Amino acid sequence: MATRVFGAADAEPSMRAIAREAGVGIATLYRHFPTRQSLVDAVYQDQVARLTTGARELLGQLAPAAAMRRWMDLFGEWIATKNGMLDTLLAMIESGEIAHAQTRSEFLAAITTILDAGRTAGDLRSDVTAEDIAASLIGIFTVAPSPSREPGQSSAEPPDGRPPARRPAGLSPDRGGWCSDDVGFAL
């Protein structure tokens, strides 16, 4: 629940607003999360775990190219959640409470897992690195506005009717251009 509240907020929501949305009293929230930092850390760690284990899970369900596309969607959702906890998160990273370098390593390993499977399957180019993907995603999500979504609406269903985000065709070994279906990123 806190993840949704943070993601929907333009600024950091109060602990009271989070408790209200979760349907619990403020005392219950503070009993489980004595500080805002402890709540932000729990949300952050949960999302990092979902992204890193998600790569393997996606490969168990989808072809590597589709798994990469879905993982990119999940990454975008992860970025969007930071809106409502950005100040606290940055303070925690600066103080060393959150190991940013470790998170980066975990994400790069997750991307590499998908890239390796894609190379083996012939779906993804062999000269694209996890660092290339990460830098591209950070760049895209830094400049692209986040469309508002209805509760429960996935990133595969943008609210304005645009097609969902696509993986760059530069990942595909047999196609040129930026996107596999020549529509570009639709964020």
Side-chain angles (χ1 to χ4, degrees):
M1 184 58 63
T3 302
R4 266 189 275 171
V5 175
F6 283 127
D10 290 330
E12 291 202 17
S14 69
M15 294 291 276
R16 188 170 305 282
I18 294 168
R20 184 175 40 252
E21 188 68 28
V24 300
I26 191 73
T28 301
L29 181 64
Y30 275 111
R31 189 170 25 261
H32 293 282
F33 304 101
T35 65
R36 170 178 292 283
Q37 290 84 353
S38 63
L39 178 59
V40 167
D41 186 54
V43 169
Y44 182 81
Q45 296 305 329
D46 177 66
Q47 290 183 312
V48 169
R50 287 175 191 245
L51 275 170
T52 55
T53 61
R56 289 184 299 282
E57 291 170 2
L58 288 169
L59 283 171
Q61 302 166 2
L62 303 168
M68 179 63 79
R69 180 176 302 166
R70 181 63 189 127
W71 192 90
M72 289 176 167
D73 288 342
L74 293 173
F75 185 84
E77 292 168 9
W78 180 74
I79 292 291
T81 303
K82 305 305 164 271
N83 291 338
M85 60 184 193
L86 190 58
D87 292 339
T88 301
L89 190 58
L90 290 173
M92 293 173 71
I93 290 170
E94 188 174 307
S95 72
E97 290 178 61
I98 291 180
H100 180 66
Q102 178 181 343
T103 301
R104 178 174 160 61
S105 294
E106 291 173 17
F107 283 169
L108 291 176
I111 295 168
T112 298
T113 298
I114 297 172
L115 285 174
D116 288 347
R119 289 177 186 122
T120 300
D123 289 347
L124 301 174
R125 288 180 23 194
S126 61
D127 62 336
V128 176
T129 68
E131 290 84 0
D132 295 335
I133 301 295
S136 296
L137 288 173
I138 294 297
I140 290 165
F141 289 114
T142 298
V143 299
S146 298
S148 301
R149 299 194 195 293
E150 294 298 321
Q153 183 178 27
S154 79
S155 62
E157 306 163 358
D160 60 358
R162 292 177 296 167
R166 305 287 190 226
R167 74 183 161 91
L171 296 177
S172 179
D174 58 346
R175 302 210 41 183
W178 176 240
C179 185
S180 62
D181 54 10
D182 299 321
V183 297
F185 273 87
L187 300 174

